[in-house]
């Protein structure tokens, strides 16, 4: 966090700390499952914390960390480094490749206007649909679950995948309930291995019942 780590973490720092901490966990309990890197969202999949911080202050014209790693996308590079470490050491240190994902168009709110309900219904397509272009600043074909699976298959085969924070909002409304049900159905159909919602809805809400 920025109060204790004012400069964003570099690609090398994260891979080195992943190796160190995961190794310590496996030393104590070889059966433990290590999940990571828990990146916050879309920008964090491609750029290190260092580059996100630097780019936001310099108009995104220069990304020093990325440039120092031959222009590699951050998370695929991290997976490949951990695969190489396993090849050299004979020990797997990352069991579940995990990210966070929130819709960026206001869905994570209590807004239940007709326009927002329709947006909620559409935006779950960013979890899977190769033809859906995200209708926000992301402006890309996210297809998140297949993307995560593809990265793992290419750079670190045998690793499970997870989305360990997500929320589409409107917990007190049927639109939030149907969206949550849709999300869970997508996770199951697309073969996501782990999911954790932020947070558990109140037991009285339509979303909890869904």
């Amino acid at each position: 966090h920025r109060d204790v780590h004012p400069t964003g973490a570099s690609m090398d720092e994260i891979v080195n700390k992943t190796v160190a901490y995961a190794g310590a966990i496996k030393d104590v309990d070889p059966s433990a499952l290590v999940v990571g890197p828990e990146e916050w969202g879309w920008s964090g999949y491609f750029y290190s914390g260092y580059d996100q911080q630097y780019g936001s202050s310099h108009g995104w014209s220069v990304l020093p960390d990325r440039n120092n790693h031959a222009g590699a996308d951050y998370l695929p590079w991290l997976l490949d480094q951990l695969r190489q470490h396993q090849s050299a050491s004979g020990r797997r240190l990352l069991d579940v490749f995990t990210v966070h994902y929130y819709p960026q168009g206001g869905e994570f709110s209590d807004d239940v206007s007709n326009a927002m309900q329709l947006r909620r219904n559409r935006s779950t397509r960013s979890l899977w649909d190769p033809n859906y272009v995200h209708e926000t600043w992301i402006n890309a074909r996210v297809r998140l679950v297949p993307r995560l699976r593809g990265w793992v298959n290419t750079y670190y085969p045998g690793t499970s995948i997870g989305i360990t924070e997500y929320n589409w909002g409107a917990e007190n409304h049927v639109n939030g309930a149907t969206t949550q049900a849709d999300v869970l159905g997508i996770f199951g159909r697309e073969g996501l291995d782990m999911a954790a919602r932020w947070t558990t809805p109140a037991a009285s809400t339509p979303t909890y019942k869904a």
Side-chain angles (χ1 to χ4, degrees):
H1 285 267
R2 292 185 183 184
D3 55 347
V4 295
H5 196 310
T7 301
S10 69
M11 295 165 74
D12 290 319
E13 178 180 352
I14 294 300
V15 73
N16 291 338
K17 287 185 173 176
T18 299
V19 168
Y21 280 90
I25 291 167
K26 299 284 189 176
D27 286 344
V28 173
D29 181 1
S31 68
L33 297 180
V34 174
V35 305
E38 300 290 308
E39 272 302 326
W40 71 270
W42 183 250
S43 299
Y45 306 164
F46 301 97
Y47 309 122
S48 68
Y50 185 94
D51 274 350
Q52 290 177 69
Q53 185 180 55
Y54 190 93
S56 67
S57 300
H58 296 81
W60 300 97
S61 58
V62 177
L63 298 169
D65 202 20
R66 184 182 180 92
N67 292 342
N68 289 338
H69 293 84
D73 289 335
Y74 168 46
L75 289 189
W77 177 88
L78 178 64
L79 285 169
D80 191 54
Q81 293 297 303
L82 294 171
R83 178 193 58 80
Q84 292 181 47
H85 186 275
Q86 180 175 342
S87 295
S89 68
R91 183 165 71 160
R92 172 178 283 277
L93 293 181
L94 182 69
D95 300 288
V96 190
F97 174 56
T98 56
V99 299
H100 298 176
Y101 186 72
Y102 291 88
Q104 298 291 302
E107 297 93 330
F108 181 29
S109 71
D110 294 325
D111 185 349
V112 290
S113 64
N114 188 62
M116 185 56 69
Q117 290 189 54
L118 293 172
R119 179 184 281 269
R120 275 195 192 89
N121 293 344
R122 293 191 305 270
S123 62
T124 60
R125 303 184 77 85
S126 66
L127 293 167
W128 67 274
D129 189 347
N131 296 311
Y132 179 78
V133 178
H134 208 291
E135 302 169 52
T136 67
W137 61 271
I138 291 176
N139 191 33
R141 291 174 170 83
V142 175
R143 52 182 193 84
L144 183 60
V145 180
R147 180 185 296 274
L148 297 179
R149 182 69 68 193
W151 281 345
V152 160
N153 289 345
T154 300
Y155 296 102
Y156 200 0
T159 310
S160 297
I161 58 172
I163 298 172
T164 45
E165 275 193 32
Y166 72 92
N167 191 315
W168 255 260
E171 293 177 355
N172 291 297
H173 192 275
V174 68
N175 181 238
T178 56
T179 303
Q180 176 64 52
D182 188 32
V183 168
L184 291 175
I186 291 166
F187 288 167
R189 187 193 63 200
E190 297 298 318
L192 190 73
D193 298 300
M194 173 187 285
R197 188 183 191 276
W198 180 270
T199 59
T200 304
S204 61
T205 63
T207 298
Y208 181 91
K209 297 178 190 307

